């Protein structure tokens, strides 16, 4: 093991809190330091492994390592020691994002981006590391995909984030590259052994239709359709779906005989404020599961006083396809951790109301809201107390939902408001809200919309109130979520 990796492992072992009431109850963080993109999200030896972009030493982005955790049920994560450090000449400036797959001999293969700054510029190439689920050795002939495999005129500086999978005995990977027009391309590569790679095609090109450069691609089939996901840099706001800056998109379509992807429908993946760089895996029972970095780059650049970590993952979500759209729903395993059900059926709300038993910060909350004819606006305030509140407002006539976290404890103003379309069915709308100490994830209907945001209101801002301009009928089910605290995850209990 190199000194750099040993140092990272020693540091996290010493500093990752053992008793940590200030950490999220069930959203994965690095425990210490900073995390961004999920990496190498893949089954291995009957469990689900998740690596992540990781700077253990500071709550800001820095020298990129790969942190590591695993879970049997997507919820109860157990930390493993850091897997990769930027300790080789070809990755000395960062082990950037990538994927994982299992080799025919049973070992785990990681494919990641090595970043190397040289006097003549920065180079990104794809590198391999092989291991047993805990310890990984970088391949002696790294890098395994270099500029030689790039199309003419494309950038050697922006070439990253390989997502790898195995299909019919061969390995495939998609990676992003800044093409010769200066915007993003998704390239498709193939390999027989996971170590020798050839470019098969330019799978899909941005052509400046959706932002500029792309990041973190993923590609899979779902219900007979090809699905391509990627994150977008410098998106320009268009419809209510797309807003300025970083965002994530998916395209549903098909692949032709030349390995080119044709999009039949394109959409924003999330409607919230904090979501980027997701990865998916095929679960052992065949479900397609997605996990995202629950953070926007724009808001990540501030230090939150008193926080020992920066960056959280979403709860993993089951993906399904319906009417040309991806639906997202929290993994069903989460429901095993529900306790203490409190419910209200068909109650009428108008005045601001605080319902007995409906308060707290860690819960799974289901609501069905049926507005009366003249109602235009219904608001649920969460994380409420001492001047703090986060508002989720339903505009019943416009058919939109607005998130407003202007009073949620951020030291600086970044974008704190987002509004997006939400469909009513037979005059009613169903919402599911996953609340954790530092976040809210909202799912509309059966997962037609998902919207995440991180929140930093103090621990005792636990109030939840409902109010409406005219009467609404509401049914509520609230469950506490009791999940292993992070200190127990550290011990793998
Ligand atoms: C996306 C990203 C990736 C890169 C990584 C670096 O958030 O910019 O493209 O590999 O983060 O940490």
């Amino acid at each position: 093991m190199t000194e750099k990796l040993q140092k990272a492992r020693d540091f996290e072992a010493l500093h990752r809190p053992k008793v940590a009431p200030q950490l999220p109850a069930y959203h994965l963080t690095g425990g210490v330091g900073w995390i961004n993109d999920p990496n190498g999200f893949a089954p291995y030896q009957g469990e689900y492994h998740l690596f992540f972009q990781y700077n253990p030493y500071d709550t800001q982005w820095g020298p990129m390592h790969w942190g590591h955790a695993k879970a049997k049920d997507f919820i109860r994560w157990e930390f493993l020691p850091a897997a990769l450090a930027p300790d080789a000449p070809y990755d000395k400036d960062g082990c950037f994002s990538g994927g994982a797959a299992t080799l025919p001999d049973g070992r785990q293969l990681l494919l990641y981006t090595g970043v190397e700054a040289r006097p003549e510029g920065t180079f990104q190439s794809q590198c391999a590391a092989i291991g047993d689920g805990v310890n990984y050795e970088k391949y002696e002939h790294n890098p395994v995909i270099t500029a030689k495999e790039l199309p003419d005129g494309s950038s050697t500086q922006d070439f990253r984030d390989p997502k790898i999978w195995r299909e019919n005995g061969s390995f495939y990977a998609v990676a992003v590259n800044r093409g010769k027009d200066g915007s993003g391309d998704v390239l498709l590569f193939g390999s027989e052994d996971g170590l020798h790679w050839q470019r098969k095609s330019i799978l899909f090109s941005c052509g400046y239709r959706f932002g500029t450069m792309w990041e973190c691609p993923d590609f899979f089939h779902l219900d007979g359709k090809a699905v391509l996901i990627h994150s977008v840099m410098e998106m320009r706001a268009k419809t209510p779906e797309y807003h300025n800056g970083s965002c994530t998109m998916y395209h549903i379509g098909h692949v032709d005989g030349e390995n080119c992807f044709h999009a039949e429908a394109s959409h924003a993946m999330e409607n919230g404020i904090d979501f980027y760089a997701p990865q998916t895996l095929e679960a052992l029972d065949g479900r397609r599961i997605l996990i995202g970095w629950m953070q926007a780059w724009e808001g990540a650049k501030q230090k939150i006083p008193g926080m020992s970590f920066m960056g959280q993952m979403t709860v993993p979500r089951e993906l399904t396809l319906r009417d040309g759209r991806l639906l997202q729903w929290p993994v069903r395993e989460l429901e095993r951790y529900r306790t203490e059900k409190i419910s209200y059926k068909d109650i009428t709300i108008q005045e601001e109301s605080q319902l007995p038993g409906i308060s707290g910060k860690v819960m799974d909350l289901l609501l069905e809201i049926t507005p009366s004819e003249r109602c235009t606006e219904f608001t649920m305030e969460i994380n409420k107390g001492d001047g703090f509140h986060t508002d989720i407002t339903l505009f019943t006539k416009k058919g939109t939902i607005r998130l407003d976290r202007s009073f949620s404890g951020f030291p600086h103003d970044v974008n704190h408001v987002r509004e997006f379309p939400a469909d009513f069915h037979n005059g009613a709308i169903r919402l599911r809200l996953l609340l954790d100490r530092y976040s809210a994830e909202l799912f509309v209907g059966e997962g037609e919309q998902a919207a995440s945001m991180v929140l930093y209101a103090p621990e005792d801002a636990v109030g939840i109130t409902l109010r409406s301009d005219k009467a609404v009928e509401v049914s509520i089910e609230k469950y506490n979520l009791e999940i292993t605290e992070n200190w127990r995850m550290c011990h793998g209990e």
Side-chain angles (χ1 to χ4, degrees):
M1 173 158 355
T2 63
E3 223 175 273
K4 259 196 179 161
L5 184 59
Q6 189 62 57
K7 186 174 160 218
R9 288 182 167 196
D10 291 346
F11 186 89
E12 62 187 8
L14 191 66
H15 295 283
R16 194 171 269 155
K18 301 268 185 289
V19 180
Q22 79 272 30
L23 293 182
Y26 60 99
H27 285 84
L28 185 72
T29 71
V32 285
W34 155 284
I35 67 168
N36 56 291
D37 318 350
N39 293 157
F41 187 38
Y44 184 63
Q45 295 181 339
E47 297 178 297
Y48 299 107
H49 283 245
L50 179 67
F51 304 81
F52 41 86
Q53 289 288 280
Y54 182 39
N55 175 17
Y57 305 114
D58 191 5
T59 55
Q60 291 290 284
W61 191 87
M64 277 296 108
H65 294 61
W66 274 34
H68 192 187
K70 67 175 183 179
K72 290 193 180 68
D73 66 357
F74 296 110
I75 301 296
R76 211 177 123 130
W77 294 103
E78 176 191 333
F79 285 120
L80 293 167
L84 300 176
D87 52 14
Y90 48 80
D91 64 18
K92 69 178 176 53
D93 296 291
C95 298
F96 276 17
S97 286
T102 304
L103 289 167
D105 66 9
R107 291 178 302 160
Q108 193 178 32
L109 169 69
L110 310 181
L111 193 67
Y112 68 97
T113 300
V115 181
E116 185 189 355
R118 297 185 211 150
E120 66 272 28
T122 298
F123 292 82
Q124 299 188 332
S125 56
Q126 315 322 316
C127 307
I130 296 174
D132 60 1
V134 179
N135 297 304
Y136 297 85
E137 208 154 297
K138 291 178 183 172
Y139 180 53
E140 55 182 329
H141 301 300
N142 271 340
V144 294
I145 316 180
T146 63
K148 284 209 299 286
E149 291 301 321
L150 291 176
D152 287 344
S154 67
S155 160
T156 52
Q157 177 155 359
D158 284 309
F159 172 36
R160 59 181 175 271
D161 306 341
K163 171 76 198 304
I164 180 176
W165 72 97
R166 205 166 159 216
E167 199 177 304
N168 301 327
S170 298
F171 291 93
Y172 297 89
V174 280
V176 286
N177 177 220
R178 195 184 286 276
K180 68 169 179 252
D181 73 352
S183 72
D185 284 339
V186 176
L187 305 180
L188 175 69
F189 297 91
S191 168
E192 286 317 304
D193 60 2
L195 296 170
H196 300 85
W197 292 86
Q198 287 83 41
R199 174 162 59 85
K200 294 184 92 64
S201 67
I202 300 178
L203 187 67
F204 198 52
S205 289
C206 171
Y208 290 103
R209 285 169 302 161
F210 305 109
T212 57
M213 177 57 186
W214 290 347
E215 300 187 303
C216 300
D218 197 348
F219 182 68
F220 52 89
H221 282 85
L222 191 63
D223 296 340
K225 286 287 182 190
V227 180
L228 178 65
I229 297 177
H230 58 80
S231 290
V232 177
M233 295 171 78
E234 298 165 312
M235 187 73 175
R236 184 141 48 86
K238 281 183 199 149
T239 59
E241 253 188 309
Y242 300 111
H243 43 83
N244 292 318
S246 51
C247 76
T248 299
M249 296 187 65
Y250 69 87
H251 310 270
I252 294 170
H254 63 274
V255 176
D256 66 20
E258 312 280 285
N259 285 314
C260 294
F261 174 82
H262 300 271
E264 293 152 20
S266 301
H267 292 287
M269 185 96 222
E270 251 255 356
N271 301 95
I273 303 172
D274 290 302
F275 185 87
Y276 200 66
Q279 266 196 3
T280 71
L281 59 67
E282 186 179 338
L284 299 165
D285 59 8
R287 285 174 296 164
R288 179 59 56 175
I289 311 289
L290 169 136
I291 190 165
W293 178 38
M294 189 163 49
Q295 183 66 65
W297 273 112
E298 289 81 359
K301 292 169 189 153
Q302 50 187 312
K303 280 216 176 207
I304 312 296
M307 300 284 286
S308 68
F309 72 92
M310 184 68 173
Q312 308 173 59
M313 298 299 173
T314 63
V315 161
R317 302 169 179 179
E318 296 178 14
L319 294 185
T320 48
L321 195 61
R322 197 176 71 197
D323 304 331
R325 280 195 170 258
L326 282 182
L327 306 190
Q328 303 176 58
W329 199 245
V331 281
R332 61 197 67 169
E333 286 84 346
L334 183 67
E335 291 162 34
R336 294 186 200 150
Y337 295 94
R338 285 174 170 175
T339 60
E340 294 174 51
K341 175 176 174 178
I342 293 181
S343 59
Y344 291 87
K345 182 107 186 88
D346 299 334
I347 53 167
T348 302
I349 301 281
Q350 184 163 344
E351 304 286 283
E352 182 164 292
S353 320
Q354 192 151 21
L355 300 174
I358 309 290
S359 68
K361 266 199 165 181
V362 181
M363 69 182 71
D364 189 349
L365 192 67
L366 297 110
L367 296 108
E368 179 158 355
I369 302 156
T370 315
S372 62
E373 185 58 31
R374 290 169 51 231
C375 163
T376 61
E377 214 175 299
F378 167 83
T379 297
M380 174 162 60
E381 287 184 49
I382 58 172
N383 279 16
K384 196 170 175 179
D386 195 24
F388 295 98
H389 56 101
T390 300
D391 302 357
I392 300 170
T393 302
L394 189 59
F395 295 99
T396 62
K397 300 294 181 226
K398 274 201 282 177
T400 61
I401 291 178
R402 186 180 65 200
L403 309 177
D404 184 346
R405 58 160 193 199
S406 304
F407 300 91
S408 302
F410 280 77
H412 302 286
D413 271 348
V414 283
N415 174 41
H416 290 322
V417 180
R418 185 142 293 154
E419 192 167 329
F420 57 90
D423 292 338
F424 281 77
H425 296 285
N426 302 321
I429 191 160
R430 285 181 15 218
L431 304 179
R432 180 169 177 195
L433 188 65
L434 298 183
L435 277 188
D436 201 344
R437 295 198 179 100
Y438 297 104
S439 65
E441 285 183 77
L442 181 70
F443 299 87
V444 182
E446 291 173 343
E448 294 94 293
Q449 317 282 358
S452 310
M453 55 182 165
V454 297
L455 306 171
Y456 297 113
E459 209 183 329
D460 54 2
V462 294
I464 297 182
T465 58
L466 308 176
R467 67 164 190 275
S468 183
D469 61 348
K470 292 282 176 311
V472 289
E473 210 160 82
V474 179
S475 294
I476 299 186
E477 263 175 46
K478 178 210 164 203
Y479 300 90
N480 288 346
L481 289 170
E482 286 195 11
I483 297 154
T484 335
E485 294 292 343
N486 279 34
W487 70 271
R488 286 173 65 196
M489 298 199 289
C490 297
H491 293 265
E493 284 176 18

